[in-house]
Amino acid sequence: MNVRRLIPTATIAGAVALGLVALSACSSSDASGGAGSDGKLAVTASFYPMQYLAQQIGGDHVDVSTLTKPGVEPHDLELKPRQTAQLGEADVIVYLKGIQPSVDKAIAQSGVENTVDAASLTKLEKHGTEVGHAHEGGEHGHEAEGGDEASGLNGADPHIWLDPVKYAEVAKGVGASLSQADPDHAATYKKNTAALVKKLDALNSEFRQGLADTGTKTFITTHAAFGYLAERYGLEQEAIAGIDPEAEPSPARVKELETIAKRDKVSTVFFETLASDKTAKTLAGDSGLKTDVLDPLEGITDKSKGDDYLQVMRSNLTALQKALGAK
């Protein structure tokens, strides 16, 4: 492995001033490049979907930390000095460019050689209401999802992890990157990648079979995060307020959704665990519809219907089958 690069003096000084001496995910005294605590590869993930891949593929040979803690809406993350320093200490960074602008900026300034951008590992697409929307007033990071060329997404939908097929493509790229950063354990990373891809292939089959015959193909959700999932399984996603789960929909959009619900026999309005359910419940109440959770899996909390990606995705499948009238 390459010899670990030295941490800039300014970074260490700033950390000490904040009383954050134990900053890194790996031991600062370890000079054997690519080794975190206990000699493991130090991997920093930007948010849960990237963290899950790193943990599943890296196994016992990696020490994975995440910048987005449970319960934090990833798009709105603002990095603290400790987290910026953590980035500088990483052997490998796994992230998705464009979904968290503050993270993208910090990574560009970190000097870390081994960075893995999930958006570059599969083909991104544009999905209806996902395009051209931003926070009102241009706030927060969702603005980058709606066509900000500086984000690198150019209006593309970043929620690739909600399609098991695309997520498997990303997994393969992450596995190859870990092998390159830590060739001594490349065989293990290759084996773990293959095992994860097999699980994702099985999940894809479950969704395809479970949603093949339904009473309706349309579902309503607060967050336009499910474009890839809808496209993969022949469904139609209708978002209340585009990409911003907290935004209030316009009266025209509410009326339009009420019309769509009647026309397409929609039974359920979906909300999510990391955002308010107020808008979804208001729309459901006014339209005589039910509510349920469809989790965009941007983070796992005690409110999540499962302990990891696979469990929550299967809970999503169950919710969709019930709402769509699967036969």
Side-chain angles (χ1 to χ4, degrees):
M1 297 183 192
N2 296 328
V3 177
R4 179 188 296 279
R5 80 193 138 62
L6 297 177
I7 307 170
T9 302
T11 300
I12 298 177
V16 172
L18 289 169
L20 299 171
V21 179
L23 292 169
S24 66
C26 56
S27 172
S28 61
S29 62
D30 181 3
S32 59
S37 59
D38 299 323
K40 297 181 179 181
L41 194 72
V43 181
T44 297
S46 57
F47 70 129
Y48 178 72
M50 303 299 104
Q51 176 189 0
Y52 181 77
L53 290 181
Q55 290 173 330
Q56 292 295 306
I57 296 170
D60 294 336
H61 298 306
V62 299
D63 185 2
V64 182
S65 57
T66 180
L67 296 173
T68 309
K69 302 305 179 184
V72 175
E73 216 290 326
H75 303 276
D76 298 334
L77 177 68
E78 294 295 336
L79 293 181
K80 298 178 181 179
R82 175 185 60 79
Q83 293 172 302
T84 301
Q86 176 185 328
L87 273 175
E89 285 282 294
D91 296 315
V92 179
I93 298 174
V94 185
Y95 74 115
L96 201 166
K97 186 176 181 181
I99 202 168
Q100 296 175 291
S102 66
V103 172
D104 296 347
K105 182 178 179 180
I107 290 173
Q109 297 173 349
S110 70
V112 175
E113 180 179 353
N114 298 309
T115 61
V116 189
D117 174 16
S120 70
L121 301 175
T122 187
K123 182 180 178 181
L124 271 64
E125 302 170 6
K126 297 181 180 181
H127 290 125
T129 53
E130 189 71 38
V131 182
H133 290 269
H135 278 278
E136 295 181 9
E139 301 170 356
H140 304 303
H142 278 291
E143 183 180 22
E145 295 181 343
D148 182 359
E149 293 184 3
S151 73
L153 290 173
N154 295 320
D157 179 354
H159 300 90
I160 49 180
W161 64 92
L162 291 169
D163 176 351
V165 176
K166 286 192 172 294
Y167 200 42
E169 292 174 355
V170 175
K172 293 175 183 178
V174 171
S177 295
L178 291 182
S179 294
Q180 183 178 0
D182 181 14
D184 290 348
H185 299 111
T188 298
Y189 299 143
K190 183 177 181 180
K191 179 181 178 181
N192 290 349
T193 299
L196 177 57
V197 168
K198 184 176 181 179
K199 292 177 182 178
L200 293 173
D201 287 346
L203 181 67
N204 173 47
S205 296
E206 290 176 37
F207 267 83
R208 188 172 299 281
Q209 295 170 11
L211 298 172
D213 188 5
T214 58
T216 181
K217 297 295 183 182
T218 304
F219 64 96
I220 297 175
T221 179
T222 54
H223 188 189
F226 300 92
Y228 290 108
L229 185 151
E231 181 179 29
R232 179 68 60 189
Y233 305 113
L235 307 179
E236 292 291 334
Q237 170 189 242
E238 292 290 346
I240 295 175
I243 60 175
D244 181 3
E246 299 286 357
E248 291 292 332
S250 67
R253 180 57 177 162
V254 171
K255 185 176 181 180
E256 181 182 19
L257 287 171
E258 290 175 346
T259 299
I260 290 171
K262 292 179 180 178
R263 182 194 69 200
D264 295 345
K265 299 179 181 179
V266 175
S267 67
T268 307
V269 178
F270 289 111
F271 61 94
E272 58 194 67
T273 56
L274 295 183
S276 171
D277 60 3
K278 180 180 178 182
T279 302
K281 288 186 174 180
T282 298
L283 175 63
D286 292 343
S287 306
L289 304 176
K290 302 174 184 177
T291 59
D292 201 354
V293 172
L294 195 62
D295 198 325
L297 263 161
E298 294 177 347
I300 297 289
T301 70
D302 56 4
K303 295 182 180 179
S304 300
K305 293 185 177 181
D307 296 328
D308 63 15
Y309 173 86
L310 291 174
Q311 289 183 14
V312 176
M313 281 294 285
R314 289 191 171 101
S315 293
N316 281 343
L317 173 57
T318 298
L320 282 169
Q321 287 177 306
K322 181 179 179 181
L324 300 176
K327 301 174 183 177

